Amino acid sequence: MSPHPFRFGLVAATAPHGQSWADQARRAESLGYAAIQVPDTLGTLASFPALAAAAAVTSTLRVGNYVLAVPNHRPAEVAHQALTLDILSGGRFDLGLGAGRPDAGREAEQLGVPFGSPGERIDRLSATIEAVRARYADPAGPLQPVQKPHPPLMIAANGGRMLRLAAAEADIVALGLPIESGVDVLAAKAAELRQHAGERADRIELALSLFVIGDGTPPWLAGTIGADPARLHQLDAATAVRGTPAQMAEVLRRRRDQTGVSYLQINAIFMEEFAPVVQLLAGT
């Protein structure tokens, strides 16, 4: 296993106005975060315009979906949006794709689109990747891509078929585990992915969301993440970390050694609190 250097993405979803959103993107860049990432829900900012706005006020920060629920989007539309954002960001766009989180089906009803069975949703994800590749292989007129052959693909995966697809297609795999999973479970899932990936294994960057940082988490967080933050620490869950910046950095180094996970997603509420860890680890 060849370890990738640490990177950190800031997952941000809302803002009261455009200036606040721009300020947050600039601050994330100044603190050393590698990317700002926007979820794909009807209760958050729409990811493509939000990412374009963040790219417009930064110069090195990457921007990405975390992740698109592909059943709720037409493949050709995703390909066009991806090409547009690739151009507008100057090649700083990562395309994040998933087969749909558990509550995305309700949003599909609101949007008036079929959500489909798990197998149909995975087929839609494959079709979306094909549409992106086709659009980049034959760009239209003045719309010329910056990143070639296409933007880095982040695929969220957990089950067997999704892991096989991600192993074959993804540049980055966001491992979607139950939030209380321990490091041993994470290591086993990462090993399964690497087995499917074969000779591609060392080229794939493994990503994971850190849902809880430190002990002073806001009381509403339990309802948002669906778990008690204190219990996550008691279980030594791979999705939680606490201690001094140096202690958290050491834990994350040890976990990378065990699992290969080097790209960590941090909720925007922890942006300032986690920044010292970013400064210790980013790029190492």
Side-chain angles (χ1 to χ4, degrees):
M1 180 169 57
S2 177
H4 290 254
F6 278 110
R7 293 203 300 155
F8 299 91
L10 189 77
V11 180
T14 63
H17 46 70
Q19 187 59 56
S20 173
W21 180 252
D23 289 346
Q24 182 172 231
R26 291 192 191 98
R27 182 62 174 160
E29 183 175 60
S30 73
L31 291 173
Y33 288 91
I36 191 166
Q37 299 169 310
V38 180
D40 179 34
T41 83
L42 295 181
T44 57
L45 294 172
S47 65
F48 283 112
L51 294 171
V57 297
T58 56
S59 58
T60 61
L61 191 72
R62 296 193 68 82
V63 297
N65 325 94
Y66 194 68
V67 293
L68 283 182
V70 294
N72 297 350
H73 300 271
R74 296 181 180 89
E77 172 209 352
V78 173
H80 183 59
Q81 295 273 20
L83 178 59
T84 298
L85 195 43
D86 181 29
I87 294 168
L88 294 180
S89 69
R92 289 183 284 135
F93 172 59
D94 300 329
L95 177 59
L97 302 172
R101 65 194 185 284
D103 60 345
R106 293 195 299 272
E107 295 186 350
E109 291 182 12
Q110 292 177 263
L111 292 166
V113 296
F115 192 58
S117 67
E120 289 168 337
R121 299 199 300 273
I122 295 173
D123 289 342
R124 173 63 72 94
L125 198 154
S126 295
T128 301
I129 293 171
E130 291 175 9
V132 170
R133 288 189 167 143
R135 185 65 190 269
Y136 269 72
D138 186 21
L143 298 180
Q144 296 298 311
V146 179
Q147 300 181 96
K148 296 179 181 179
H150 49 70
L153 296 178
M154 170 185 274
I155 297 179
N158 182 21
R161 187 176 170 193
M162 280 298 299
L163 284 172
R164 289 191 293 274
L165 175 63
E169 303 284 3
D171 302 289
I172 308 161
V173 177
L175 294 169
L177 302 178
I179 195 169
E180 295 184 349
S181 298
V183 176
D184 55 341
V185 175
L186 177 60
K189 190 65 65 174
E192 182 181 352
L193 174 76
R194 285 192 292 272
Q195 183 176 16
H196 291 311
E199 63 180 17
R200 293 190 74 242
D202 284 349
R203 301 202 300 271
I204 297 174
E205 188 176 30
L206 299 184
L208 181 74
S209 287
L210 288 181
F211 289 104
V212 175
I213 308 295
D215 290 308
T217 53
W220 51 263
L221 187 62
T224 300
I225 65 175
D228 176 18
R231 177 169 170 76
L232 295 183
H233 288 312
Q234 291 171 358
L235 294 171
D236 194 24
T239 56
V241 66
R242 63 178 171 179
T244 66
Q247 288 169 335
M248 288 191 280
E250 180 55 32
V251 167
L252 294 176
R253 288 190 193 98
R254 187 167 62 249
R255 290 179 182 174
R256 183 179 63 177
D257 289 344
Q258 293 175 262
T259 68
V261 171
S262 60
Y263 191 12
L264 296 162
Q265 279 63 50
I266 312 301
N267 190 291
I269 63 171
F270 298 118
M271 177 173 67
E272 298 288 344
E273 180 180 355
F274 195 73
V277 183
V278 173
Q279 290 156 13
L280 286 171
L281 291 181
T284 67

